[in-house]
Amino acid sequence: MENPLGNFANIDVEAFLRDSEKRVADFAKAQEEVGAAVGRATTADGLISVECTAEGGVSRLDIDPRAKRMSVHDMSVEILAAIREADADLQRQLSAIMTSSFGGLGEAMGDPDTAQALAEAQQAYERMMSDAMGELDRMRKKLGY
């Protein structure tokens, strides 16, 4: 007689749940690393320093008082260049975090909005899989498998 559960009767529910838990833990670790990442840049003359985070963009701007000798235009150019460089540094860090955690998803995950959307999708997936695996386990026990 053919098994009414098909291939589901052979699923190792415990292994599947352990794998899911590991994925959730990996995702949480990556989120923590993304939250802690800081891109940094300093102008060649060392007078302007910038820090950027995934949460808030430019999070710090330090201008040495000696920078007052620059024209407003030159200072603006230097600040913008430092911001771009700090952001590029942050993007490199985020890409490295995501690539090490998720392989090919690294580039997409570097965007905070994409990372948040994927976090929500991951949580929904985990809830759905937990419910489905619980139901399959209940059916398996009921049928004596």
Side-chain angles (χ1 to χ4, degrees):
M1 181 172 150
E2 189 174 315
N3 186 337
L5 291 178
N7 287 335
F8 287 120
N10 298 322
I11 290 176
D12 182 350
V13 174
E14 296 300 320
F16 184 81
L17 290 176
R18 279 192 306 273
D19 182 59
S20 293
E21 289 171 0
K22 181 188 179 309
R23 289 177 191 265
V24 169
D26 289 348
F27 193 81
K29 180 180 178 242
Q31 280 186 304
E32 185 177 309
E33 290 174 353
V34 165
V38 178
R40 293 181 175 87
T42 301
T43 57
D45 58 12
L47 299 179
I48 299 169
S49 297
V50 177
E51 291 184 357
C52 292
T53 65
E55 295 290 320
V58 175
S59 59
R60 184 174 181 146
L61 172 63
D62 292 323
I63 302 173
D64 187 290
R66 292 175 292 163
K68 291 180 185 177
R69 297 181 193 137
M70 292 183 194
S71 70
V72 172
H73 172 76
D74 290 345
M75 186 183 296
S76 296
V77 168
E78 290 294 314
I79 290 171
L80 290 174
I83 289 171
R84 282 190 295 275
E85 189 178 324
D87 184 59
D89 179 44
L90 176 64
Q91 295 307 315
R92 282 189 296 275
Q93 291 177 45
L94 296 178
S95 181
I97 291 166
M98 294 303 129
T99 299
S100 70
S101 298
F102 304 107
L105 291 176
E107 288 181 21
M109 293 291 289
D111 174 52
D113 293 334
T114 301
Q116 180 63 35
L118 287 173
E120 292 169 6
Q122 177 73 19
Q123 291 169 352
Y125 167 80
E126 293 302 328
R127 283 191 305 272
M128 182 212 47
M129 289 307 295
S130 179
D131 292 347
M133 295 311 294
E135 184 63 21
L136 287 172
D137 194 41
R138 185 190 67 74
M139 289 170 56
R140 185 177 54 147
K141 288 176 184 175
K142 185 176 181 178
L143 294 170
Y145 291 100

